[in-house]
PDB file of all heavy atoms in Angstrom:
ATOM      1  N   MET A   1      61.540  54.644  11.239  1.00 86.00           N
ATOM      2  CA  MET A   1      61.187  53.225  11.286  1.00 86.00           C
ATOM      3  C   MET A   1      59.720  53.050  11.398  1.00 86.00           C
ATOM      4  O   MET A   1      59.111  53.533  12.371  1.00 86.00           O
ATOM      5  CB  MET A   1      61.878  52.517  12.443  1.00 86.00           C
ATOM      6  CG  MET A   1      61.648  51.021  12.524  1.00 86.00           C
ATOM      7  SD  MET A   1      62.335  50.146  11.081  1.00 86.00           S
ATOM      8  CE  MET A   1      64.062  50.351  11.349  1.00 86.00           C
ATOM      9  N   MET A   2      59.055  52.456  10.382  1.00 88.00           N
ATOM     10  CA  MET A   2      57.650  52.270  10.342  1.00 88.00           C
ATOM     11  C   MET A   2      57.314  50.809  10.637  1.00 88.00           C
ATOM     12  O   MET A   2      57.928  49.885  10.087  1.00 88.00           O
ATOM     13  CB  MET A   2      57.085  52.719   8.991  1.00 88.00           C
ATOM     14  CG  MET A   2      57.256  54.199   8.714  1.00 88.00           C
ATOM     15  SD  MET A   2      56.502  54.728   7.149  1.00 88.00           S
ATOM     16  CE  MET A   2      57.758  54.072   6.007  1.00 88.00           C
ATOM     17  N   ASN A   3      56.246  50.539  11.437  1.00 90.00           N
ATOM     18  CA  ASN A   3      55.860  49.254  11.863  1.00 90.00           C
ATOM     19  C   ASN A   3      54.391  48.941  11.447  1.00 90.00           C
ATOM     20  O   ASN A   3      53.522  49.897  11.538  1.00 90.00           O
ATOM     21  CB  ASN A   3      55.990  49.035  13.371  1.00 90.00           C
ATOM     22  CG  ASN A   3      57.442  49.283  13.819  1.00 90.00           C
ATOM     23  OD1 ASN A   3      58.382  48.858  13.136  1.00 90.00           O
ATOM     24  ND2 ASN A   3      57.604  49.971  14.947  1.00 90.00           N
ATOM     25  N   ASP A   4      54.129  47.698  10.983  1.00 90.00           N
ATOM     26  CA  ASP A   4      52.760  47.228  10.721  1.00 90.00           C
ATOM     27  C   ASP A   4      52.095  48.200   9.745  1.00 90.00           C
ATOM     28  O   ASP A   4      51.173  48.923  10.055  1.00 90.00           O
ATOM     29  CB  ASP A   4      51.991  47.097  12.001  1.00 90.00           C
ATOM     30  CG  ASP A   4      50.643  46.365  11.781  1.00 90.00           C
ATOM     31  OD1 ASP A   4      50.464  45.787  10.652  1.00 90.00           O
ATOM     32  OD2 ASP A   4      49.812  46.437  12.678  1.00 90.00           O
ATOM     33  N   GLY A   5      52.485  48.099   8.473  1.00 91.00           N
ATOM     34  CA  GLY A   5      51.899  49.001   7.480  1.00 91.00           C
ATOM     35  C   GLY A   5      51.888  48.429   6.082  1.00 91.00           C
ATOM     36  O   GLY A   5      52.119  47.199   5.892  1.00 91.00           O
ATOM     37  N   VAL A   6      51.510  49.237   5.145  1.00 92.00           N
ATOM     38  CA  VAL A   6      51.402  48.822   3.767  1.00 92.00           C
ATOM     39  C   VAL A   6      52.062  49.899   2.828  1.00 92.00           C
ATOM     40  O   VAL A   6      52.212  51.088   3.202  1.00 92.00           O
ATOM     41  CB  VAL A   6      49.980  48.608   3.283  1.00 92.00           C
ATOM     42  CG1 VAL A   6      49.346  47.470   4.086  1.00 92.00           C
ATOM     43  CG2 VAL A   6      49.151  49.891   3.509  1.00 92.00           C
ATOM     44  N   ILE A   7      52.490  49.394   1.600  1.00 90.00           N
ATOM     45  CA  ILE A   7      53.044  50.274   0.593  1.00 90.00           C
ATOM     46  C   ILE A   7      52.170  50.118  -0.647  1.00 90.00           C
ATOM     47  O   ILE A   7      52.021  49.026  -1.221  1.00 90.00           O
ATOM     48  CB  ILE A   7      54.486  49.955   0.253  1.00 90.00           C
ATOM     49  CG1 ILE A   7      55.373  50.025   1.502  1.00 90.00           C
ATOM     50  CG2 ILE A   7      55.039  50.857  -0.876  1.00 90.00           C
ATOM     51  CD1 ILE A   7      56.789  49.597   1.226  1.00 90.00           C
ATOM     52  N   HIS A   8      51.603  51.229  -1.156  1.00 90.00           N
ATOM     53  CA  HIS A   8      50.859  51.195  -2.370  1.00 90.00           C
ATOM     54  C   HIS A   8      51.742  51.810  -3.484  1.00 90.00           C
ATOM     55  O   HIS A   8      52.242  52.951  -3.365  1.00 90.00           O
ATOM     56  CB  HIS A   8      49.610  52.084  -2.285  1.00 90.00           C
ATOM     57  CG  HIS A   8      48.576  51.530  -1.339  1.00 90.00           C
ATOM     58  ND1 HIS A   8      47.422  50.974  -1.829  1.00 90.00           N
ATOM     59  CD2 HIS A   8      48.528  51.456  -0.007  1.00 90.00           C
ATOM     60  CE1 HIS A   8      46.669  50.512  -0.801  1.00 90.00           C
ATOM     61  NE2 HIS A   8      47.386  50.860   0.329  1.00 90.00           N
ATOM     62  N   ARG A   9      51.977  50.938  -4.529  1.00 89.00           N
ATOM     63  CA  ARG A   9      52.806  51.318  -5.608  1.00 89.00           C
ATOM     64  C   ARG A   9      51.964  51.438  -6.892  1.00 89.00           C
ATOM     65  O   ARG A   9      51.384  50.407  -7.310  1.00 89.00           O
ATOM     66  CB  ARG A   9      53.993  50.400  -5.865  1.00 89.00           C
ATOM     67  CG  ARG A   9      54.966  50.769  -6.900  1.00 89.00           C
ATOM     68  CD  ARG A   9      56.118  49.757  -7.011  1.00 89.00           C
ATOM     69  NE  ARG A   9      57.140  50.175  -7.911  1.00 89.00           N
ATOM     70  CZ  ARG A   9      57.112  50.009  -9.230  1.00 89.00           C
ATOM     71  NH1 ARG A   9      56.028  49.405  -9.803  1.00 89.00           N
ATOM     72  NH2 ARG A   9      58.067  50.404  -9.962  1.00 89.00           N
ATOM     73  N   LYS A  10      51.912  52.619  -7.500  1.00 88.00           N
ATOM     74  CA  LYS A  10      51.097  52.803  -8.665  1.00 88.00           C
ATOM     75  C   LYS A  10      51.876  53.431  -9.804  1.00 88.00           C
ATOM     76  O   LYS A  10      52.625  54.398  -9.556  1.00 88.00           O
ATOM     77  CB  LYS A  10      49.867  53.700  -8.352  1.00 88.00           C
ATOM     78  CG  LYS A  10      48.896  53.873  -9.494  1.00 88.00           C
ATOM     79  CD  LYS A  10      47.685  54.718  -9.121  1.00 88.00           C
ATOM     80  CE  LYS A  10      46.698  54.850 -10.263  1.00 88.00           C
ATOM     81  NZ  LYS A  10      45.520  55.690  -9.917  1.00 88.00           N
ATOM     82  N   THR A  11      51.800  52.851 -10.981  1.00 85.00           N
ATOM     83  CA  THR A  11      52.503  53.376 -12.124  1.00 85.00           C
ATOM     84  C   THR A  11      51.576  54.188 -13.032  1.00 85.00           C
ATOM     85  O   THR A  11      50.359  54.189 -12.858  1.00 85.00           O
ATOM     86  CB  THR A  11      53.166  52.242 -12.958  1.00 85.00           C
ATOM     87  OG1 THR A  11      52.132  51.439 -13.495  1.00 85.00           O
ATOM     88  CG2 THR A  11      54.070  51.400 -12.061  1.00 85.00           C
ATOM     89  N   LEU A  12      52.161  54.884 -14.033  1.00 81.00           N
ATOM     90  CA  LEU A  12      51.346  55.664 -14.981  1.00 81.00           C
ATOM     91  C   LEU A  12      50.447  54.784 -15.820  1.00 81.00           C
ATOM     92  O   LEU A  12      49.392  55.186 -16.299  1.00 81.00           O
ATOM     93  CB  LEU A  12      52.239  56.532 -15.863  1.00 81.00           C
ATOM     94  CG  LEU A  12      52.996  57.698 -15.169  1.00 81.00           C
ATOM     95  CD1 LEU A  12      53.866  58.406 -16.169  1.00 81.00           C
ATOM     96  CD2 LEU A  12      52.022  58.632 -14.525  1.00 81.00           C
ATOM     97  N   ALA A  13      50.864  53.534 -16.019  1.00 81.00           N
ATOM     98  CA  ALA A  13      50.055  52.586 -16.805  1.00 81.00           C
ATOM     99  C   ALA A  13      48.834  52.111 -16.080  1.00 81.00           C
ATOM    100  O   ALA A  13      48.004  51.409 -16.631  1.00 81.00           O
ATOM    101  CB  ALA A  13      50.897  51.362 -17.248  1.00 81.00           C
ATOM    102  N   GLY A  14      48.751  52.439 -14.796  1.00 80.00           N
ATOM    103  CA  GLY A  14      47.587  52.062 -13.965  1.00 80.00           C
ATOM    104  C   GLY A  14      47.859  50.803 -13.147  1.00 80.00           C
ATOM    105  O   GLY A  14      46.939  50.298 -12.461  1.00 80.00           O
ATOM    106  N   ASP A  15      49.013  50.226 -13.230  1.00 84.00           N
ATOM    107  CA  ASP A  15      49.326  49.021 -12.447  1.00 84.00           C
ATOM    108  C   ASP A  15      49.426  49.409 -10.957  1.00 84.00           C
ATOM    109  O   ASP A  15      50.119  50.339 -10.582  1.00 84.00           O
ATOM    110  CB  ASP A  15      50.655  48.413 -12.908  1.00 84.00           C
ATOM    111  CG  ASP A  15      50.596  47.921 -14.360  1.00 84.00           C
ATOM    112  OD1 ASP A  15      49.492  47.540 -14.744  1.00 84.00           O
ATOM    113  OD2 ASP A  15      51.605  47.928 -15.057  1.00 84.00           O
ATOM    114  N   LEU A  16      48.823  48.665 -10.105  1.00 86.00           N
ATOM    115  CA  LEU A  16      48.751  48.897  -8.684  1.00 86.00           C
ATOM    116  C   LEU A  16      49.174  47.660  -7.945  1.00 86.00           C
ATOM    117  O   LEU A  16      48.668  46.545  -8.205  1.00 86.00           O
ATOM    118  CB  LEU A  16      47.354  49.341  -8.229  1.00 86.00           C
ATOM    119  CG  LEU A  16      47.178  49.605  -6.723  1.00 86.00           C
ATOM    120  CD1 LEU A  16      48.061  50.747  -6.316  1.00 86.00           C
ATOM    121  CD2 LEU A  16      45.704  49.865  -6.418  1.00 86.00           C
ATOM    122  N   SER A  17      50.123  47.843  -7.027  1.00 88.00           N
ATOM    123  CA  SER A  17      50.553  46.710  -6.161  1.00 88.00           C
ATOM    124  C   SER A  17      50.544  47.167  -4.748  1.00 88.00           C
ATOM    125  O   SER A  17      50.854  48.342  -4.423  1.00 88.00           O
ATOM    126  CB  SER A  17      51.940  46.251  -6.597  1.00 88.00           C
ATOM    127  OG  SER A  17      52.854  47.305  -6.523  1.00 88.00           O
ATOM    128  N   VAL A  18      50.228  46.252  -3.848  1.00 89.00           N
ATOM    129  CA  VAL A  18      50.136  46.516  -2.441  1.00 89.00           C
ATOM    130  C   VAL A  18      51.057  45.586  -1.732  1.00 89.00           C
ATOM    131  O   VAL A  18      50.960  44.343  -1.901  1.00 89.00           O
ATOM    132  CB  VAL A  18      48.722  46.367  -1.868  1.00 89.00           C
ATOM    133  CG1 VAL A  18      48.659  46.671  -0.400  1.00 89.00           C
ATOM    134  CG2 VAL A  18      47.795  47.344  -2.612  1.00 89.00           C
ATOM    135  N   ILE A  19      51.964  46.107  -0.914  1.00 88.00           N
ATOM    136  CA  ILE A  19      52.948  45.285  -0.157  1.00 88.00           C
ATOM    137  C   ILE A  19      52.753  45.581   1.313  1.00 88.00           C
ATOM    138  O   ILE A  19      52.746  46.738   1.758  1.00 88.00           O
ATOM    139  CB  ILE A  19      54.382  45.689  -0.608  1.00 88.00           C
ATOM    140  CG1 ILE A  19      54.555  45.493  -2.117  1.00 88.00           C
ATOM    141  CG2 ILE A  19      55.379  44.828   0.199  1.00 88.00           C
ATOM    142  CD1 ILE A  19      55.889  46.009  -2.572  1.00 88.00           C
ATOM    143  N   ARG A  20      52.525  44.527   2.087  1.00 91.00           N
ATOM    144  CA  ARG A  20      52.423  44.654   3.528  1.00 91.00           C
ATOM    145  C   ARG A  20      53.766  44.428   4.167  1.00 91.00           C
ATOM    146  O   ARG A  20      54.539  43.614   3.693  1.00 91.00           O
ATOM    147  CB  ARG A  20      51.379  43.642   4.102  1.00 91.00           C
ATOM    148  CG  ARG A  20      50.003  43.906   3.651  1.00 91.00           C
ATOM    149  CD  ARG A  20      48.974  43.024   4.340  1.00 91.00           C
ATOM    150  NE  ARG A  20      47.614  43.375   4.034  1.00 91.00           N
ATOM    151  CZ  ARG A  20      46.900  44.304   4.651  1.00 91.00           C
ATOM    152  NH1 ARG A  20      47.411  44.951   5.722  1.00 91.00           N
ATOM    153  NH2 ARG A  20      45.670  44.617   4.316  1.00 91.00           N
ATOM    154  N   PHE A  21      54.053  45.136   5.212  1.00 89.00           N
ATOM    155  CA  PHE A  21      55.346  44.942   5.861  1.00 89.00           C
ATOM    156  C   PHE A  21      55.126  44.952   7.375  1.00 89.00           C
ATOM    157  O   PHE A  21      54.199  45.631   7.880  1.00 89.00           O
ATOM    158  CB  PHE A  21      56.327  46.005   5.447  1.00 89.00           C
ATOM    159  CG  PHE A  21      55.935  47.463   5.750  1.00 89.00           C
ATOM    160  CD1 PHE A  21      56.134  48.013   6.988  1.00 89.00           C
ATOM    161  CD2 PHE A  21      55.328  48.208   4.781  1.00 89.00           C
ATOM    162  CE1 PHE A  21      55.758  49.316   7.259  1.00 89.00           C
ATOM    163  CE2 PHE A  21      54.949  49.525   5.003  1.00 89.00           C
ATOM    164  CZ  PHE A  21      55.162  50.037   6.262  1.00 89.00           C
ATOM    165  N   THR A  22      56.038  44.294   8.015  1.00 90.00           N
ATOM    166  CA  THR A  22      56.047  44.321   9.466  1.00 90.00           C
ATOM    167  C   THR A  22      56.854  45.549   9.987  1.00 90.00           C
ATOM    168  O   THR A  22      56.431  46.187  10.952  1.00 90.00           O
ATOM    169  CB  THR A  22      56.646  43.050  10.100  1.00 90.00           C
ATOM    170  OG1 THR A  22      55.926  41.928   9.581  1.00 90.00           O
ATOM    171  CG2 THR A  22      56.602  43.022  11.581  1.00 90.00           C
ATOM    172  N   SER A  23      57.969  45.759   9.365  1.00 88.00           N
ATOM    173  CA  SER A  23      58.766  46.965   9.671  1.00 88.00           C
ATOM    174  C   SER A  23      59.472  47.424   8.409  1.00 88.00           C
ATOM    175  O   SER A  23      59.821  46.610   7.559  1.00 88.00           O
ATOM    176  CB  SER A  23      59.824  46.618  10.753  1.00 88.00           C
ATOM    177  OG  SER A  23      60.756  45.639  10.281  1.00 88.00           O
ATOM    178  N   TYR A  24      59.652  48.752   8.290  1.00 88.00           N
ATOM    179  CA  TYR A  24      60.233  49.339   7.102  1.00 88.00           C
ATOM    180  C   TYR A  24      60.965  50.578   7.516  1.00 88.00           C
ATOM    181  O   TYR A  24      60.449  51.422   8.288  1.00 88.00           O
ATOM    182  CB  TYR A  24      59.170  49.678   6.045  1.00 88.00           C
ATOM    183  CG  TYR A  24      59.698  50.102   4.730  1.00 88.00           C
ATOM    184  CD1 TYR A  24      60.007  49.209   3.699  1.00 88.00           C
ATOM    185  CD2 TYR A  24      59.967  51.463   4.490  1.00 88.00           C
ATOM    186  CE1 TYR A  24      60.511  49.641   2.492  1.00 88.00           C
ATOM    187  CE2 TYR A  24      60.481  51.919   3.330  1.00 88.00           C
ATOM    188  CZ  TYR A  24      60.773  50.961   2.258  1.00 88.00           C
ATOM    189  OH  TYR A  24      61.256  51.414   1.070  1.00 88.00           O
ATOM    190  N   ALA A  25      62.253  50.700   7.068  1.00 86.00           N
ATOM    191  CA  ALA A  25      63.082  51.878   7.404  1.00 86.00           C
ATOM    192  C   ALA A  25      63.110  52.818   6.268  1.00 86.00           C
ATOM    193  O   ALA A  25      63.438  52.479   5.108  1.00 86.00           O
ATOM    194  CB  ALA A  25      64.520  51.350   7.783  1.00 86.00           C
ATOM    195  N   PHE A  26      62.774  54.038   6.550  1.00 82.00           N
ATOM    196  CA  PHE A  26      62.781  55.150   5.576  1.00 82.00           C
ATOM    197  C   PHE A  26      63.898  56.147   5.943  1.00 82.00           C
ATOM    198  O   PHE A  26      63.844  56.785   6.961  1.00 82.00           O
ATOM    199  CB  PHE A  26      61.437  55.861   5.538  1.00 82.00           C
ATOM    200  CG  PHE A  26      61.188  56.684   4.313  1.00 82.00           C
ATOM    201  CD1 PHE A  26      60.642  56.194   3.186  1.00 82.00           C
ATOM    202  CD2 PHE A  26      61.622  58.008   4.264  1.00 82.00           C
ATOM    203  CE1 PHE A  26      60.446  56.955   2.062  1.00 82.00           C
ATOM    204  CE2 PHE A  26      61.425  58.812   3.236  1.00 82.00           C
ATOM    205  CZ  PHE A  26      60.833  58.274   2.056  1.00 82.00           C
ATOM    206  N   ASP A  27      64.946  56.193   5.106  1.00 79.00           N
ATOM    207  CA  ASP A  27      66.160  57.012   5.401  1.00 79.00           C
ATOM    208  C   ASP A  27      65.799  58.509   5.198  1.00 79.00           C
ATOM    209  O   ASP A  27      65.369  58.887   4.085  1.00 79.00           O
ATOM    210  CB  ASP A  27      67.295  56.577   4.517  1.00 79.00           C
ATOM    211  CG  ASP A  27      68.612  57.202   4.968  1.00 79.00           C
ATOM    212  OD1 ASP A  27      68.618  57.828   6.061  1.00 79.00           O
ATOM    213  OD2 ASP A  27      69.593  57.057   4.281  1.00 79.00           O
ATOM    214  N   LEU A  28      66.060  59.295   6.222  1.00 73.00           N
ATOM    215  CA  LEU A  28      65.914  60.751   6.126  1.00 73.00           C
ATOM    216  C   LEU A  28      67.200  61.539   6.198  1.00 73.00           C
ATOM    217  O   LEU A  28      67.201  62.747   6.207  1.00 73.00           O
ATOM    218  CB  LEU A  28      64.963  61.208   7.293  1.00 73.00           C
ATOM    219  CG  LEU A  28      63.576  60.603   7.295  1.00 73.00           C
ATOM    220  CD1 LEU A  28      62.884  61.081   8.612  1.00 73.00           C
ATOM    221  CD2 LEU A  28      62.778  61.012   6.143  1.00 73.00           C
ATOM    222  N   SER A  29      68.312  60.868   6.215  1.00 67.00           N
ATOM    223  CA  SER A  29      69.613  61.497   6.417  1.00 67.00           C
ATOM    224  C   SER A  29      69.932  62.454   5.275  1.00 67.00           C
ATOM    225  O   SER A  29      70.508  63.505   5.475  1.00 67.00           O
ATOM    226  CB  SER A  29      70.718  60.477   6.579  1.00 67.00           C
ATOM    227  OG  SER A  29      70.413  59.576   7.632  1.00 67.00           O
ATOM    228  N   ALA A  30      69.618  61.991   4.027  1.00 64.00           N
ATOM    229  CA  ALA A  30      69.934  62.843   2.858  1.00 64.00           C
ATOM    230  C   ALA A  30      69.275  64.204   2.918  1.00 64.00           C
ATOM    231  O   ALA A  30      69.903  65.236   2.607  1.00 64.00           O
ATOM    232  CB  ALA A  30      69.576  62.123   1.571  1.00 64.00           C
ATOM    233  N   PHE A  31      68.021  64.230   3.412  1.00 62.00           N
ATOM    234  CA  PHE A  31      67.335  65.491   3.455  1.00 62.00           C
ATOM    235  C   PHE A  31      67.868  66.403   4.587  1.00 62.00           C
ATOM    236  O   PHE A  31      67.907  67.575   4.446  1.00 62.00           O
ATOM    237  CB  PHE A  31      65.846  65.243   3.676  1.00 62.00           C
ATOM    238  CG  PHE A  31      65.307  64.252   2.707  1.00 62.00           C
ATOM    239  CD1 PHE A  31      64.866  63.031   3.177  1.00 62.00           C
ATOM    240  CD2 PHE A  31      65.258  64.483   1.336  1.00 62.00           C
ATOM    241  CE1 PHE A  31      64.347  62.045   2.274  1.00 62.00           C
ATOM    242  CE2 PHE A  31      64.785  63.539   0.492  1.00 62.00           C
ATOM    243  CZ  PHE A  31      64.318  62.305   0.962  1.00 62.00           C
ATOM    244  N   MET A  32      68.320  65.799   5.642  1.00 56.00           N
ATOM    245  CA  MET A  32      68.888  66.560   6.759  1.00 56.00           C
ATOM    246  C   MET A  32      70.204  67.196   6.352  1.00 56.00           C
ATOM    247  O   MET A  32      70.412  68.380   6.646  1.00 56.00           O
ATOM    248  CB  MET A  32      69.134  65.685   7.963  1.00 56.00           C
ATOM    249  CG  MET A  32      67.844  65.200   8.626  1.00 56.00           C
ATOM    250  SD  MET A  32      68.261  64.498  10.226  1.00 56.00           S
ATOM    251  CE  MET A  32      69.239  65.876  10.930  1.00 56.00           C
TER     252      MET A  32
END
């Protein structure tokens, strides 16, 4: 669980988008 952060999304075409979030859940169960 990540709090107070940003997500940078960049494609091969060079498009860049920035998303701010208050909380974001990143699932790790599959890797475990």
Side-chain angles (χ1 to χ4, degrees):
M1 183 62 69
M2 296 183 285
N3 303 318
D4 190 11
V6 295
I7 303 175
H8 291 255
R9 185 179 186 276
K10 184 178 181 180
T11 64
L12 291 179
D15 299 330
L16 178 64
S17 59
V18 180
I19 303 173
R20 293 188 175 273
F21 61 83
T22 304
S23 62
Y24 186 90
F26 195 90
D27 190 9
L28 300 174
S29 303
F31 311 113
M32 289 194 53

